[in-house]
Amino acid sequence: MVLAMKNEALVVIATLFTAAAQLSFKLGANAQGVYIGPFPVNITVIAGFLAYGIAAMLFLFALRGGQLSVLYPIWSLSFVWVFLVSSLLLKETVTPLNWAGILLIMAGVSLVGRGAKNG
Amino acid sequence: MADMVALSLAIASTIMAATGMLFFKKAAGAKKTFFSREFFIGGFLFVLGTILMILALKREELSLVFPITSLTYIWVMIFSKIHLNEKINKWKILSVVFIAIGIILAVQ
């Protein structure tokens, strides 16, 4: 099933995992629990590392058949997901300029798909 | 005046990350991808790049450091052309420009 998906779609899914990982780290960074020196060792942080691992695996599968210069720009979506969660769910302050930037990133990612078709 | 050490760390980080991605692409083409030398080199460079970026962020504002990550997309494009023989067309260039400007605006 993984192999049947388009390479670009695999990377988009990978960005969701990376975003989840970053949010896990944010939540787990100061959580209660075990610490090794300054580093927290809790289920949230561990889940974050697992999510990163899955993202890396999906990216490597995608790279087998896809071009790096087409697939890598899609990673900027990870930033978009984290931004959306931060602004909408965590209610962090954002400006219209920030939103414009997010839209530009999304526009850029959709353009790269065209770049794939034209060689 | 922005912290020049922080900016240098950030720029170095982007070069490492991009080189790591290049090795990942090579690893993808290798037999036993996840045990290949290219995978470990790529992973190492990526992790090192991330550490440098974290160090940069400790010294300087996110709104100044983070836009530098846009450079990674430019390096990847250049490395892909030189080392992977991937064709660069106007859509790829435009997408990287949009993404770079988008990142800069998103953190202001």
Side-chain angles (χ1 to χ4, degrees):
Chain A
M1 193 210 88
V2 167
L3 297 174
M5 297 190 75
K6 281 184 64 169
N7 298 317
E8 288 84 352
L10 278 178
V11 182
V12 172
I13 293 171
T15 61
L16 290 170
F17 277 96
T18 329
Q22 282 164 20
L23 289 164
S24 293
F25 288 143
K26 203 167 174 171
L27 291 172
N30 298 310
Q32 298 244 348
V34 178
Y35 279 78
I36 297 179
F39 295 108
V41 181
N42 55 60
I43 195 78
T44 318
V45 170
I46 291 169
F49 278 111
L50 284 175
Y52 260 135
I54 294 173
M57 257 178 42
L58 291 174
F59 186 48
L60 281 158
F61 278 130
L63 278 176
R64 279 186 178 166
Q67 295 183 21
L68 184 64
S69 54
V70 170
L71 296 177
Y72 187 73
I74 301 175
W75 278 114
S76 55
L77 283 182
S78 160
F79 183 71
V80 171
W81 310 135
V82 173
F83 179 89
L84 288 176
V85 171
S86 298
S87 60
L88 298 172
L89 288 180
L90 304 178
K91 306 274 182 206
E92 288 181 11
T93 330
V94 292
T95 67
L97 205 61
N98 298 151
W99 282 111
I102 292 301
L103 287 174
L104 262 179
I105 293 172
M106 291 170 73
V109 171
S110 51
L111 280 180
V112 87
R114 281 189 159 184
K117 291 181 179 81
N118 295 349
Chain B
M1 184 63 200
D3 187 308
M4 293 312 284
V5 173
L7 296 187
S8 309
L9 285 169
I11 292 171
S13 160
T14 61
I15 296 173
M16 291 212 183
T19 312
M21 292 301 107
L22 184 62
F23 275 95
F24 267 17
K25 170 63 183 176
K26 300 237 178 222
K31 273 193 203 170
K32 291 185 172 254
T33 299
F34 295 99
F35 296 98
S36 63
R37 192 177 58 174
E38 289 82 1
F39 175 69
F40 286 111
I41 295 173
F44 172 76
L45 286 171
F46 178 75
V47 169
L48 191 57
T50 308
I51 291 173
L52 291 182
M53 186 57 73
I54 291 171
L55 291 175
L57 286 168
K58 286 177 97 113
R59 299 177 67 104
E60 186 53 271
E61 302 260 334
L62 188 119
S63 60
L64 288 173
V65 170
F66 207 77
I68 292 177
T69 58
S70 309
L71 283 176
T72 320
Y73 298 95
I74 300 173
W75 304 137
V76 167
M77 197 119 311
I78 295 171
F79 292 170
S80 301
K81 176 153 174 58
I82 296 174
H83 299 290
L84 300 171
N85 276 316
E86 291 180 7
K87 294 203 172 92
I88 302 307
N89 52 51
K90 65 179 180 233
W91 299 114
K92 290 181 186 178
I93 294 174
L94 211 56
S95 81
V96 165
V97 169
F98 274 27
I99 289 169
I101 299 174
I103 289 175
I104 292 169
L105 293 181
V107 293
Q108 296 309 306

